[in-house]
Amino acid sequence: MDEARILSRVALPEEVQVERQLRPQRLDEFVGQREAVESLRVSIEAARQRGDSLDHVLLYGPPGIGKTSLAHILANELGTQIVPTSGPALERGADLMGILTNLSAHDVLFIDEVHRLPRPVEELLYPAMEDFAVNFVIDKGLHARSLRYGLRPFTLVAATTRPGMLSSPLRDRFGIFHHLDFYSEAELCQIIRRSASILTAPVEPDGATEIARRSRGTPRIANRLLRRVRDYAQVKGDGVITPAVALDALEREGVDSEGLDRLDQRFLKAIIEQFGGGPVGIEAVAATINDEAETLAEMVEPYLLKIGFLVRTPNGRRVTPKAYDHLRYPAPQTPGSQGKLPL
């Protein structure tokens, strides 16, 4: 078997179904995000007792943190169907109309990347969310008429990585807001052990810890790294994920002890080597390493900010002494350390 294929950072096509199987199906199976889970549990039970639809839910946080999984869990707990779509997929109002009019009572409509909804489509959502109805215009000019079409009660679950880009009218129509944050190492270990049991991949406790330490606080990355380590253990070892096997596989994958991959390291090294540690704008860094600024802002920066390797200043991004030490660069001189005269 080709080793490059075994250690690929991209999920293989045949593993897409496996990734779905690893998702929890009930709130009791969902690890982490305790406050959000307990609040949703109460809201679901109240809606179930009333025989009513759950209030519209907005989930926001970094990618891979569990927003899609929670949307499916909500539908399972309510005993209804989920209809998934995304903001970029709804290009016209007719696309949204077709989905809304085909929803059954109390169904869950899940819109991922809701901040990318076109404005005309977003405006159709306002009456749908408030009054369970949509207004549309037929004919043109003097013969134009506005018709109101009633909808069955439904729950909109929206997910976004950039809540600040949502318009106020849309944001204010959600009744439930939950911010999902990065996971602790212990929580990731629990997720890895559960996923390993589903994949029938024997994993030692310290092996799970080694993977969790390098998973950037993100379950999606933890599951991806687990699959890569499982493949490596199967081909290069006896199939058991030991600490040594996990360490070797992850080093070959390009993931270091802090969970930084090659793109993270290129990002930090560019700021240190080309811009003296910063501050520097994200566009300048993106041009230097030949990547997209949006990719760096959404996929790289959040974790580097969390672990204290990067800070944002009014003048741009700046690398911290902690990152210098991790990457084995000489520590930056502190302000005021130059130009001192001997007494």
Side-chain angles (χ1 to χ4, degrees), residues 184-236:
S184 68
E185 185 177 306
E187 291 169 339
L188 289 174
C189 283
Q190 189 176 346
I191 291 172
I192 290 168
R193 289 194 297 269
R194 174 185 176 274
S195 298
S197 67
I198 295 174
L199 297 173
T200 63
V203 57
E204 294 183 358
D206 290 342
T209 301
E210 193 66 45
I211 298 173
R213 185 181 298 120
R214 301 169 184 242
S215 297
R216 303 166 63 92
T218 306
R220 180 183 295 163
I221 295 176
N223 285 328
R224 176 175 61 80
L225 294 181
L226 171 63
R227 296 198 300 272
R228 301 283 69 76
V229 175
R230 175 201 61 177
D231 293 347
Y232 184 84
Q234 176 183 335
V235 174
K236 298 292 187 179

Side-chain angles (χ1 to χ4, degrees), residues 4-167:
R5 179 176 171 82
I6 294 173
L7 296 174
S8 171
R9 296 183 61 210
V10 181
L12 304 177
E14 58 268 24
E15 289 189 324
V16 174
Q17 182 62 32
V18 175
E19 188 171 339
R20 294 196 188 100
Q21 293 173 355
L22 298 180
R23 285 179 178 166
Q25 301 300 312
R26 295 287 178 179
L27 285 176
D28 290 338
E29 301 174 11
F30 193 88
V31 178
Q33 314 296 343
R34 181 177 301 175
E35 293 182 1
V37 168
E38 291 306 316
S39 176
L40 287 171
R41 195 188 303 276
V42 172
S43 300
I44 290 169
E45 182 60 29
R48 189 186 293 125
Q49 290 180 6
R50 293 193 305 265
D52 200 359
S53 294
L54 183 69
D55 274 350
H56 303 302
V57 181
L58 177 63
L59 304 173
Y60 58 99
I65 230 69
K67 300 184 290 294
T68 300
S69 294
L70 269 180
H72 284 80
I73 287 173
L74 289 178
N76 291 338
E77 295 285 352
L78 292 168
T80 61
Q81 299 294 318
I82 183 170
V83 179
T85 185
S86 66
L90 299 173
E91 297 180 350
R92 302 171 301 165
D95 299 331
L96 178 63
M97 284 284 294
I99 294 175
L100 291 175
T101 54
N102 283 290
L103 291 175
S104 299
H106 309 312
D107 273 358
V108 172
L109 171 61
F110 174 56
I111 302 180
D112 199 8
E113 298 185 85
V114 69
H115 62 276
R116 296 178 61 184
L117 274 177
R119 181 52 64 89
V121 178
E122 178 183 314
E123 291 175 351
L124 273 178
L125 271 178
Y126 299 161
M129 295 174 68
E130 277 192 324
D131 306 321
F132 299 117
V134 287
N135 303 317
F136 57 96
V137 178
I138 61 173
D139 293 336
K140 295 181 180 180
L142 296 176
H143 302 288
R145 291 178 296 161
S146 177
L147 296 182
R148 188 176 181 84
Y149 183 88
L151 303 171
R152 301 176 185 89
F154 69 97
T155 296
L156 172 63
V157 180
T160 178
T161 57
R162 307 179 72 176
M165 292 184 64
L166 293 182
S167 65

